[in-house]
Amino acid sequence: MKRKSLSSFYVFLELLFTAAILKAVESAKGKYAHMLFNELFEDYSNALRPVEDTDKVLNVTLQITLSQIKDMDERNQILSAYLWIRQSWYDAYLKWDKDKYDGLDSIRIPSNLVWRPDIVLYNKADDDFSEPVNTNVVLRYDGKITWDAPAITKSSCVVDVSYFPFDSQQCNLTFGSWTYNGNQVDIINSLDSGDLSDFVEDVEWEIHGMPAVKNVITYGCCSEPYPDVTFTLILKRKSSFYIFNLLLPCILISFLAPLGFYLPADSGEKVSLGVTVLLALTVFQLMVAEIMPPSENVPLIGKYYIATMTMITASTALTIIIMNLHHCGSEAKPVPQWARVVILDYMSKIFFVYDVGENCTSPKREKEEERRFEGDDGCQRGHKEVRSPLSNRNDDCNLREKLNGNFHGVHGVNVRETVNCCSCYKMLIKNIEYIANCIRDHKANRAKGIEWKKVAKVMDRFFMWIFFVMVFFMSVLIIGKAA
C-alpha cells in the first residue's frame, strides 16, 4: 500500500513539473513574440510595396476555395458565391532569425498592419465596395505572409438559357490587381483549378469543375501588362424540380387538346376545353418568363410552351369549323361527291367512324332498326300497302260506273250514291300522297343533315390523331434536345 501511494505521488509530481515547464515555455514564447513584434514594426510601413529593389517584381500566389453557391440569379445574371481567398507573398522587411527568439518561427497579426496586395474581383456585380475582411495573417520567419480571408462575392455571369431547364452555365471569376501592373505585382495561381474539397452541395446546381487560367492583358491606355487569374465555374442545372413542376404538367395538359376532338359536339364543351387548356399553358408560360432574363434566346421549355399553345389555338379553331359542319341543317347544300367518296367512304373506315347514333358495340342492330322504321324501301312499301286497297276500290268504282251506265234509267238513286263514294276515295288518295311526299322530303333533308354530322365526326377523329402525333413528337423532341 505504501509503495502504491508513493508511485502515485511521484506521477503527480511529474505532471506538475511538466505543466510548469510548458507554462514557462509559453510565457517565454509570448515574451519573445512581443519582443519580435516591436522590433519588426518599429520602422515598418505598410504603404509601400515590400521589396528591396523597386524594379523587382513581387509574386503573389492566389488560391480560391469554393465553399457554397448562395444564389444564381438568371434574370439579373448574377452569381453569388461564398469563397475562401488565400493569398501569399514574401515581405522583404519582415524577416528574423528564429534562433534569436527561442525558435519562434511564425506569428499571427492583424492584416491591416502589413502591406497587402490590392487584388479584387474584376467582374464584381455588387454595390458594396467595403474593404476585405480584416482577418489575421500568418507571418513566417522567412518573410512569407499567408492571408486567408472569407468573402461573399457577387459576380456577373453571362447566362445562356437556350436549353433551360437542361442547361449548363460557365461563370468566370477574374481576380487581378487594381493598381499594380505586371512589372510590379505578378499573380500566380497555385493550382490549376479552384479548390472544391470543402464545397457544400447545392440543391439546384452541380459543380463539374473550376479550372484556373492566367491571362496577361495589355490595355489600350497603358503599355504595361496586367496579369489576372480567371476561375471558370462550370455548373450543370439539376432539372428534376423543373421537370415535375413545369414540364410534366405541360405535357399532360397538351395531351388534353386532341381529346377535345373526341368530345361529342352536342355536349357544348368542345370549345370550352380548348380555351381552358390554353389559359392553363399561359399561366405556365408566365411563370417561366418571370424566371428567365428578357433576352433574344428563348428557352427550350418556352419554345415547347409556344408550340403547344399554337397547336391548341389551331385545334380550337378547327373545332369551331367542325361544329359548324355538325350543325348543318336541312337548308345546307348536299355533301359534295368528292367529300362523300373521300370522307364518308374511305376515311370513315380508316378511323372506325360509324353512322351518327351508332357506336362500336352494337352498330348492326341499330342499323337494322333504322332501315326497318326509316328506310326508303320501308316507306315505299308502307305507301303501297296503304294505296293498294284504295286502288282496288277505285277499280271497283269504275266497274260499277260502267255497269250502272246500262241501268241508268232504271236505278237512278243507286248511281248517285256510287258517284259520291268514288269522289271520297279520290280525295283520300290525294291526301295520302301529299303526306307521303312530305315524309319523303323530310327524310331526304334529315339524311342530308346526318351526312354532314358524319363528315364532322370523321374530321374530328382525323384531327384527333393528327394532334396526338404532333404532341408525341414535340415531347420526344424536347427530351431529345435535353439529352
Side-chain angles (χ1 to χ4, degrees):
M1 293 295 294
K2 292 183 179 179
R3 291 181 180 178
K4 290 183 179 179
S5 60
L6 288 175
S7 61
S8 301
F9 179 73
Y10 288 142
V11 170
F12 179 71
L13 289 177
E14 289 179 359
L15 291 175
L16 287 177
F17 182 73
T18 304
I21 292 176
L22 290 175
K23 188 175 181 180
V25 170
E26 289 179 358
S27 61
K29 293 237 180 205
K31 177 182 177 181
Y32 284 111
H34 282 82
M35 185 186 303
L36 174 63
F37 178 80
N38 293 328
E39 291 180 1
L40 286 177
F41 291 94
E42 182 177 0
D43 297 326
Y44 181 81
S45 174
N46 60 359
L48 299 177
R49 191 166 54 97
V51 290
E52 296 176 351
D53 186 1
T54 55
D55 295 331
K56 187 177 179 181
V57 178
L58 179 64
N59 296 323
V60 177
T61 303
L62 179 65
Q63 179 181 344
I64 299 297
T65 300
L66 178 62
S67 177
Q68 185 180 2
I69 296 177
K70 294 182 64 65
D71 183 34
M72 179 65 176
D73 190 355
E74 293 92 347
R75 189 170 184 83
N76 296 318
Q77 300 189 21
I78 295 177
L79 172 66
S80 299
Y82 181 46
L83 305 177
W84 296 346
I85 303 175
R86 169 172 288 190
Q87 304 175 51
S88 61
W89 64 95
Y90 285 89
D91 194 318
Y93 301 106
L94 297 177
K95 298 180 181 180
W96 71 90
D97 187 3
K98 62 180 181 179
D99 295 334
K100 293 182 180 181
Y101 297 93
D102 197 23
L104 184 63
D105 58 352
S106 64
I107 57 175
R108 286 165 174 80
I109 57 178
S111 60
N112 58 353
L113 297 179
V114 299
W115 177 89
R116 295 177 301 184
D118 58 345
I119 295 178
V120 297
L121 180 64
Y122 279 175
N123 56 336
K124 186 177 182 180
D126 192 4
D127 296 334
D128 187 11
F129 292 95
S130 59
E131 294 290 331
V133 180
N134 191 18
T135 56
N136 291 340
V137 297
V138 179
L139 177 60
R140 287 176 55 87
Y141 67 95
D142 56 354
K144 183 179 180 181
I145 299 177
T146 303
W147 181 27
D148 289 332
I152 297 177
T153 61
K154 290 185 177 181
S155 59
S156 60
C157 178
V158 179
V159 179
D160 184 11
V161 293
S162 300
Y163 292 96
F164 175 84
F166 307 101
D167 56 330
S168 299
Q169 305 296 335
Q170 292 186 0
C171 297
N172 294 329
L173 300 172
T174 303
F175 293 90
S177 176
W178 189 252
T179 58
Y180 295 104
N181 56 47
N183 298 326
Q184 296 170 335
V185 174
D186 189 17
I187 302 177
I188 302 172
N189 50 329
S190 61
L191 300 174
D192 294 334
S193 64
D195 187 8
L196 301 176
S197 59
D198 296 326
F199 177 73
V200 179
E201 186 177 357
D202 192 70
V203 295
E204 185 178 359
W205 297 96
E206 296 178 356
I207 305 299
H208 287 186
M210 193 178 178
V213 177
K214 180 182 177 181
N215 304 308
V216 179
I217 301 175
T218 302
Y219 296 98
C221 63
C222 314
S223 60
E224 295 85 1
Y226 285 86
D228 63 68
V229 177
T230 301
F231 295 88
T232 303
L233 188 60
I234 302 175
L235 304 174
K236 172 67 176 176
R237 190 189 302 272
K238 297 179 181 179
S239 57
S240 300
F241 174 81
Y242 299 97
I243 289 175
F244 286 100
N245 290 277
L246 291 179
L247 186 59
L248 187 59
C250 176
I251 294 176
L252 296 178
I253 291 174
S254 62
F255 273 100
L256 289 177
L259 291 177
F261 292 105
Y262 192 77
L263 195 65
D266 295 331
S267 64
E269 299 293 334
K270 293 172 71 70
V271 179
S272 300
L273 178 62
V275 174
T276 303
V277 172
L278 186 62
L279 291 176
L281 288 178
T282 304
V283 173
F284 284 103
Q285 176 69 18
L286 292 176
M287 292 175 60
V288 175
E290 290 179 357
I291 302 173
M292 296 297 99
S295 63
E296 295 182 356
N297 296 329
V298 181
L300 183 62
I301 190 172
K303 294 178 181 178
Y304 181 73
Y305 282 158
I306 293 173
T308 306
M309 293 169 66
T310 305
M311 183 193 67
I312 294 174
T313 303
S315 67
T316 305
L318 290 173
T319 299
I320 295 173
I321 296 174
I322 292 173
M323 287 186 67
N324 286 329
L325 295 177
H326 177 82
H327 291 287
C328 285
S330 59
E331 298 178 357
K333 296 181 180 180
V335 178
Q337 183 63 29
W338 65 269
R340 185 177 286 107
V341 173
V342 175
I343 298 176
L344 298 181
D345 293 342
Y346 292 101
M347 293 180 64
S348 62
K349 296 178 182 178
I350 294 174
F351 297 105
F352 301 100
V353 177
Y354 302 97
D355 293 335
V356 177
E358 295 180 356
N359 51 40
C360 59
T361 57
S362 58
K364 295 182 179 180
R365 183 175 59 188
E366 294 182 359
K367 193 170 183 180
E368 290 175 358
E369 292 178 356
E370 183 181 358
R371 288 182 179 180
R372 187 193 311 169
F373 293 104
E374 298 180 356
D376 294 337
D377 296 338
C379 180
Q380 292 176 2
R381 286 196 301 270
H383 178 67
K384 289 179 181 179
E385 291 174 357
V386 173
R387 191 175 178 180
S388 57
L390 297 176
S391 300
N392 294 331
R393 292 185 180 181
N394 192 13
D395 295 338
D396 294 340
C397 184
N398 293 331
L399 180 59
R400 289 180 181 178
E401 288 180 355
K402 292 179 181 179
L403 294 175
N404 292 329
N406 297 329
F407 305 99
H408 184 269
V410 182
H411 304 286
V413 179
N414 295 331
V415 172
R416 286 194 296 270
E417 293 178 357
T418 305
V419 171
N420 293 331
C421 181
C422 291
S423 62
C424 291
Y425 286 142
K426 289 180 179 180
M427 291 296 297
L428 183 60
I429 291 171
K430 289 181 180 180
N431 293 334
I432 293 175
E433 288 180 352
Y434 176 76
I435 293 173
N437 291 331
C438 291
I439 293 175
R440 191 179 297 109
D441 294 338
H442 176 72
K443 285 182 80 305
N445 293 331
R446 185 173 179 274
K448 190 191 302 182
I450 290 175
E451 283 186 343
W452 281 114
K453 288 183 179 180
K454 188 174 181 179
V455 169
K457 190 174 181 180
V458 173
M459 297 307 297
D460 268 338
R461 295 293 176 84
F462 172 71
F463 286 117
M464 182 187 72
W465 288 111
I466 290 295
F467 279 88
F468 262 128
V469 173
M470 291 175 61
V471 172
F472 176 76
F473 276 106
M474 285 169 55
S475 303
V476 171
L477 183 62
I478 188 175
I479 295 174
K481 284 191 175 182

